[in-house]
Amino acid sequence: MLNERSLAVSQDCGDCPIRHRAVCARCESDELQALEEIKYYRKYEAGSHVIWSGDRMDFVGSVVSGIATLTQTMEDGRTQMVGLLLPSDFVGRPGRTTASYDVTATTDMVMCCFRRAPFEQMMTRTPHIAQRLLEMTLDELDAAREWMLVLGRKTAREKIASLLSIIARRDATLNLRGTDGPLVFDLPLTREAMADYLGLTLETVSRQISALKRDGVIVLEGKRHVTIPDMGRLMEEAGDDADGGLLV
C-alpha cells in the first residue's frame, strides 16, 4: 500500500542519478524495457510515512533521492530507528507480502517503485536483476554488521565520525567522486534524528559535532553543510583506517 500523501512524478531513466548503483544497474536494454512496463515513481514529503509495519506491500523499489528511516515499534510503544535508506537503497523484500518496519521519509524523497508480483516474476527470468539484488543484500548485511560495532563498542565521538564517514562515502560513490580530496555534502539528518539513530542524547550529538569542528576534522556551514578536508583523518576519528578496516 502506498501512502496517500505521496505524489506521482515522472523520471527519465537516462537521467536517473542512481542508475549505476540501483537494482537495474546491470540490465540490458530489453530488460530495462520490461522494467519500464511495471514501474512508477512516487514522491513523499518530509515526515510522511512510506509504509507502516504490517501493511501489505504491493511494491518494491529504490530510493532515487532523499533519505528515509527504518523504525521498529515495540508493544509498549517504544520505538527504535534500525536503519537508514539512502539513494539507491532497496525498499521491500521480494517474496514477502507485508512490511517489517515503518518507513518514514526524513527529507522529501523520490522512489522508483515496481509492482511486486511482476518484479518477482522478472527475477526468475532475469539473472542481472537477481544477481544485483543479491549483491545489494550482501552489502546491506555488511553495513548492518558494521553498525553493530558502531552502536556496541564505539565512543560518542567515534559514533558521530562513523556516521559522517558513511554518509560521505555514499555521497561520493553516488556522484562518481573519489575520496582523496575534500568531500562536501549536506547532512540529511537533523541532530535529533542522529541522536535517535546513534543511541545518544541530543546534547551529546551537538557537543561532539562541535568538537569535531573545533579540531578541524570537519568544516560546518550552518547545521547541515559539511566539508571533510581529510577523509583519512575522519576515519581515524571513527576508529577505522582509510580503507575501512579497524585500527589495531
Side-chain angles (χ1 to χ4, degrees):
M1 296 175 62
L2 282 170
N3 190 304
E4 292 181 356
R5 291 178 62 188
S6 65
L7 301 171
V9 295
S10 60
Q11 172 85 42
D12 186 346
C13 282
D15 298 326
C16 181
I18 63 167
R19 175 71 174 85
H20 59 291
R21 283 185 55 89
V23 69
C24 57
R26 297 184 177 178
C27 288
E28 304 292 345
S29 58
D30 58 330
E31 296 165 339
L32 288 173
Q33 180 57 44
L35 283 173
E36 187 76 30
E37 296 173 2
I38 65 171
K39 82 171 185 182
Y40 53 95
Y41 291 94
R42 305 293 293 194
K43 180 178 180 179
Y44 298 87
E45 296 178 357
S48 64
H49 277 80
V50 178
I51 195 77
W52 291 96
S53 175
D55 278 356
R56 178 178 178 81
M57 284 200 68
D58 296 322
F59 72 99
V60 295
S62 297
V63 178
V64 177
S65 63
I67 185 172
T69 59
L70 295 174
T71 306
Q72 197 159 25
T73 303
M74 301 176 66
E75 289 186 2
D76 61 4
R78 286 177 293 167
T79 62
Q80 175 62 50
M81 191 188 304
V82 297
L84 294 175
L85 293 171
L86 302 173
S88 80
D89 283 342
F90 195 74
V91 181
R93 178 172 169 180
R96 179 172 292 176
T97 58
T98 58
S100 300
Y101 306 101
D102 295 338
V103 180
T104 306
T106 302
T107 66
D108 289 347
M109 183 176 74
V110 173
M111 280 189 59
C112 176
C113 303
F114 304 101
R115 289 185 285 120
R116 183 178 57 80
F119 184 84
E120 291 173 352
Q121 295 170 4
M122 277 199 67
M123 285 183 61
T124 63
R125 62 176 188 270
T126 309
H128 287 146
I129 293 177
Q131 182 181 18
R132 178 60 186 148
L133 189 57
L134 174 60
E135 292 175 351
M136 295 172 71
T137 302
L138 293 175
D139 286 343
E140 185 177 344
L141 177 60
D142 286 342
R145 288 170 172 166
E146 178 184 0
W147 202 245
M148 287 175 63
L149 174 65
V150 171
L151 295 181
R153 301 297 295 176
K154 292 191 175 185
T155 66
R157 184 181 176 102
E158 289 173 335
K159 287 180 179 181
I160 297 295
S162 293
L163 180 58
L164 292 174
S165 70
I166 289 169
I167 295 172
R169 283 179 288 168
R170 173 62 71 87
D171 185 78
T173 300
L174 284 171
N175 290 286
L176 301 177
R177 295 195 302 261
T179 58
D180 295 335
L183 297 179
V184 181
F185 61 93
D186 289 322
L187 190 62
L189 294 172
T190 65
R191 296 190 182 187
E192 290 87 350
M194 291 175 67
D196 187 19
Y197 191 40
L198 294 167
L200 301 171
T201 65
L202 174 60
E203 293 77 12
T204 299
V205 169
S206 295
R207 186 167 58 249
Q208 294 301 330
I209 288 177
S210 296
L212 290 171
K213 177 182 177 181
R214 182 181 62 248
D215 295 341
V217 180
I218 64 172
V219 177
L220 190 62
E221 298 178 28
K223 291 187 176 181
R224 297 288 187 92
H225 194 66
V226 180
T227 300
I228 300 175
D230 184 348
M231 189 64 178
R233 185 178 177 193
L234 180 65
M235 297 296 286
E236 290 176 359
E237 293 288 348
D240 303 324
D241 65 21
D243 63 5
L246 292 178
L247 287 174
V248 294

